[in-house]
Amino acid sequence: MPQPDVATPNADDTLLDIQGLKVHFPIHGGLFGQTVASVKAVDGVDLKVKRGEVLGLVGESGCGKSTLGRAVLQLIKPTAGHVFFEGEDLAKLPRNRLRQRRADMQMVFQDPFSSLDPRFTVGTLIAEPLTNFNYGTREQMDERIRYLLQVVGMSPNILNRYAHEFSGGQRQRIGIARALALNPRFIVADEPISALDVSIQAQVLNLLADLRAQFNLTYMFIAHNLSAIKHISTRVAVMYLGHIVEYGPAEEIYLSPQHPYTIALLSASPFPDPDMEKTRKRIILTGDVPSPVNPPAGCPFHPRCWKAQEICRNTPPPLEIKPGASATHVTACHYPGQ
């Protein structure tokens, strides 16, 4: 059967173009271990990330955010779809070429306690990517490592200490330094502040913002903390049950959300004005998130949506511009709006 045509992105300001991305994990059962079902963690995502921007990816735990981030970097092999990075489809690259591309794409992991090998010194941890990509002489690597530590606010004198000797915030700074080692253009930050104390979270957020300006970085910032997403993101994508349900400029998403799920998430986020906080009405969603093994027909959110009608139960809504929204604000809902 002939394969459908795939649109190759033009040479514009788009750094990353995700088209129809799916990640399904097989469930094996029976006497011979056949595939009996699949967990549809990511089920047809289309997104574009422009150079120099911060795309905030937000949603409840288990909605597929981290899986999407890892699939973009090819740490998880997609089941279907395409990930174009500067015009190259990462899913189709030969292994050697994909390895070269990894220098341009890095990841900051959620847990700074498990992402750093406790057997290695800080200098060895940061030197690892430099060694793998033949950065230069030992002296050049040492100079680079000391520079990176200074950039993330750490003393160069910690090279011979071990990761377990540092606090969570300091470990995350070391992880960020390692991610910056090869001068990447794109970084997936997978909930980089969720394992940190509240007093440290703002410091790490500000560091990421400063690094973005200093090195012209592009981020995919994954979080369930709406305040953090608002603080750092230029555009926001709201994810639910493996689907993007709303996507647009951060300010517009927060001031004029269109999808009921986005409205419910924002209603649960604390508001800095005490008087407005008292008068706000919080929307409490009923029911549980449906299983990604057997997602509902139609709109994936309809079992919990207070606006759901018959069309929502039978027809998946397209991700498109809704009346009153800007040309860059799209929503997948049959009945959008407040």
Side-chain angles (χ1 to χ4, degrees):
M1 180 181 296
Q3 296 297 316
D5 294 334
V6 177
T8 301
N10 297 323
D12 54 10
D13 61 347
T14 298
L15 180 72
L16 183 74
D17 191 342
I18 304 168
Q19 299 181 6
L21 191 67
K22 295 183 179 182
V23 181
H24 295 177
F25 297 106
I27 298 175
H28 301 288
L31 182 62
F32 299 102
Q34 305 100 322
T35 299
V36 295
S38 294
V39 177
K40 299 175 181 177
V42 178
D43 200 21
V45 166
D46 297 289
L47 278 177
K48 287 187 179 182
V49 183
K50 296 183 179 180
R51 295 180 191 275
E53 79 169 356
V54 180
L55 175 67
L57 188 61
V58 65
E60 292 174 284
S61 297
C63 69
K65 306 185 301 296
S66 295
T67 302
L68 175 59
R70 291 168 186 260
V72 165
L73 299 184
Q74 304 299 300
L75 299 178
I76 297 174
K77 201 66 178 175
T79 305
H82 305 268
V83 180
F84 291 99
F85 184 81
E86 295 183 326
E88 286 188 294
D89 190 351
L90 299 179
K92 293 186 176 181
L93 289 183
R95 178 176 296 182
N96 289 341
R97 178 57 182 160
L98 179 60
R99 185 179 184 278
Q100 294 172 0
R101 268 309 197 183
R102 291 201 186 281
D104 300 321
M105 309 174 296
Q106 293 294 313
M107 189 165 191
V108 176
F109 294 93
Q110 175 179 355
D111 186 0
F113 294 89
S114 61
S115 61
L116 301 177
D117 195 320
R119 299 170 299 174
F120 294 162
T121 64
V122 171
T124 303
L125 288 168
I126 301 177
E128 188 174 15
L130 299 173
T131 303
N132 289 341
F133 283 84
N134 302 316
Y135 178 79
T137 64
R138 183 71 248 183
E139 291 76 16
Q140 289 173 325
M141 283 195 289
D142 286 343
E143 183 180 354
R144 176 69 176 168
I145 293 167
R146 292 177 183 276
Y147 168 72
L148 291 169
L149 286 172
Q150 289 178 328
V151 163
V152 299
M154 300 287 287
S155 170
N157 298 324
I158 66 170
L159 288 175
N160 295 319
R161 295 174 62 183
Y162 291 86
H164 69 266
E165 300 179 46
F166 298 94
S167 66
Q170 291 172 322
R171 291 189 194 194
Q172 196 61 288
R173 288 175 184 267
I174 295 169
I176 293 171
R178 185 171 64 170
L180 292 173
L182 296 171
N183 282 322
R185 291 192 283 278
F186 176 65
I187 291 180
V188 174
D190 184 12
E191 303 208 35
I193 63 171
S194 64
L196 306 180
D197 293 339
V198 175
S199 59
I200 305 299
Q201 290 181 359
Q203 296 179 20
V204 175
L205 278 179
N206 290 333
L207 172 64
L208 290 171
D210 292 342
L211 293 174
R212 174 197 167 209
Q214 184 175 351
F215 296 105
N216 193 28
L217 294 171
T218 303
Y219 291 139
M220 177 182 283
F221 186 88
I222 301 171
H224 57 263
N225 185 328
L226 289 169
S227 299
I229 290 284
K230 183 178 182 180
H231 177 76
I232 197 171
S233 301
T234 54
R235 285 200 292 170
V236 173
V238 183
M239 195 167 184
Y240 184 79
L241 204 63
H243 299 266
I244 300 298
V245 297
E246 189 164 1
Y247 172 50
E251 184 176 359
E252 192 170 341
I253 293 286
Y254 278 85
L255 292 179
S256 182
Q258 297 291 307
H259 198 281
Y261 180 59
T262 310
I263 295 170
L265 288 178
L266 290 174
S267 77
S269 180
F271 202 77
D273 187 326
D275 294 329
M276 293 189 67
E277 180 67 24
K278 291 178 182 178
T279 59
R280 281 202 315 158
K281 181 181 178 182
R282 180 172 178 180
I283 299 172
I284 299 176
L285 298 176
T286 59
D288 297 323
V289 179
S291 170
V293 177
N294 187 26
C299 174
F301 186 62
H302 86 256
R304 307 173 72 193
C305 183
W306 64 93
K307 291 184 175 184
Q309 304 293 327
E310 190 62 29
I311 188 175
C312 305
R313 301 181 181 93
N314 300 311
T315 307
L319 192 64
E320 61 186 7
I321 302 170
K322 301 300 181 181
S326 70
T328 56
H329 184 178
V330 293
T331 310
C333 182
H334 293 297
Y335 300 98
Q338 295 289 346

